[in-house]
Amino acid sequence: MTHPIKPTFSRRLSYRFRPGFLLAITVMWVLLMGEVSIANIVAGIGVGLIIMVFFPLPAMPINGLSVSWGRLIKYAFTWTGELFQASLKVGWLGVRPQPTPRSAILNVPMRVESEFVLSFAVMLYNLQPGGTITDIDIANRMLTAHVLDADTDADIAREIDNIRKLEAHMIDIFERKVR
């Protein structure tokens, strides 16, 4: 009878140590302290090590993803432009001399395969003003979105189209089939 080999302490610790994460925590610590000094850098490293050892992040399910970095960078610029447009639109809805616009709850299917890509798409959508994802049905890949400014059927169709465009971008960037 064979027994599974239990990983050693040093092996388990090596899974938790991520140098990029440690660097990011250290930089955030120094920024929070407001002064670059040896003491703040050492404290940031200490805080980062404590977080990595005692509060490890779970492994992300990213098997089979192939990131197209060029498309991701291009979409980052597109998304930033959409962010400014949405901010202006929501700002105008707040100050215009008309009644408050109606809102809507929409159920929109998503065709992405990976939960990581689905969560990334939801994060991008939620960061844009004017709508938010209120529920994610992972089993059926269905998003429930609360949308601002849904006075007409055309407004609702436009927002569903925006979610479908986001979905298409996510598939193009992360889940495209390599030939």
Side-chain angles (χ1 to χ4, degrees), residues 29-58:
W29 181 264
V30 171
L31 290 173
L32 282 171
M33 294 300 111
E35 179 183 348
V36 178
S37 68
I38 298 296
N40 282 338
I41 293 171
V42 170
I45 291 171
V47 168
L49 288 172
I50 289 170
I51 289 172
M52 284 192 298
V53 170
F54 294 110
F55 307 107
L57 292 172

Side-chain angles (χ1 to χ4, degrees), residues 16 33 36 41 46 69 79 174-175:
R16 293 179 179 193
M33 294 300 111
V36 178
I41 293 171
W69 292 103
W79 184 85
F174 294 106
E175 296 182 346

